[in-house]
Amino acid sequence: MQLENHVEEVTKLMQCVINAESNVATSQTIKLNILVALFNISTSSACRHVLITGLLAHAKSTNQASAVVNFHQYLDAWVNAWELSIQQQRVLYCMMGDIITSVYPINASSNNTTPSSSYTSNCNLALTYYVKYLHTFDVDQSVLERYH
């Protein structure tokens, strides 16, 4: 069976991988690797969307966000290529902002020193995805005009 156009089956397979019980300490990493492999062999936009959403959620919930944080560089291309709905875009942009902030916490500079350039860059990267998330909300222009 090819994975293409079998979104329900791919979703079930992904859930089986994520929910599989294991006593092995490395099992979460293995599960993430399986999800990435499934993502890489799939060419269907719908299947890839389901898989990226699942693997990002799994990575974050199992403290493996650093393994997927660089996926941010592909996210806009995927959103466009897969022709995602606004709701789907919203979920992915928010998830990516969360992934980035879990790897590079925004409040990491707790002392009164000047933040490093990499800290500032990582904060800006996270904020970029939160802004993209916010831009997915359709604002009625007439509402804005009432407050100006």
Side-chain angles (χ1 to χ4, degrees), residues 24-138:
V24 181
T26 59
S27 67
Q28 299 304 333
T29 302
I30 293 168
K31 289 177 184 182
L32 185 62
N33 288 337
I34 292 169
L35 294 174
V36 170
L38 287 171
F39 177 79
N40 286 334
I41 63 173
S42 178
T43 57
S44 160
S45 296
C47 290
R48 292 193 81 166
H49 171 256
V50 165
L51 288 164
I52 196 68
T53 303
L55 77 87
L56 290 176
H58 177 73
K60 185 165 186 305
S61 70
T62 58
N63 297 318
Q64 298 181 84
S66 61
V68 297
V69 72
N70 288 328
F71 286 14
H72 74 84
Q73 61 190 322
Y74 309 109
L75 197 61
D76 287 329
W78 291 337
V79 164
N80 291 328
W82 301 341
E83 299 177 349
L84 298 180
S85 70
I86 293 296
Q87 181 61 33
Q88 292 169 322
Q89 292 175 41
R90 188 175 292 150
V91 168
L92 283 179
Y93 286 138
C94 189
M95 288 178 89
M96 187 52 69
D98 291 348
I99 291 281
I100 294 166
T101 55
S102 70
V103 175
Y104 310 109
I106 290 178
N107 61 352
S109 182
S110 59
N111 55 16
N112 291 331
T113 62
T114 304
S116 69
S117 62
S118 66
Y119 171 79
T120 302
S121 175
N122 293 329
C123 288
N124 287 341
L125 182 60
L127 292 173
T128 297
Y129 285 94
Y130 288 129
V131 168
K132 289 178 182 196
Y133 162 76
L134 292 172
H135 277 288
T136 64
F137 290 91
D138 197 15

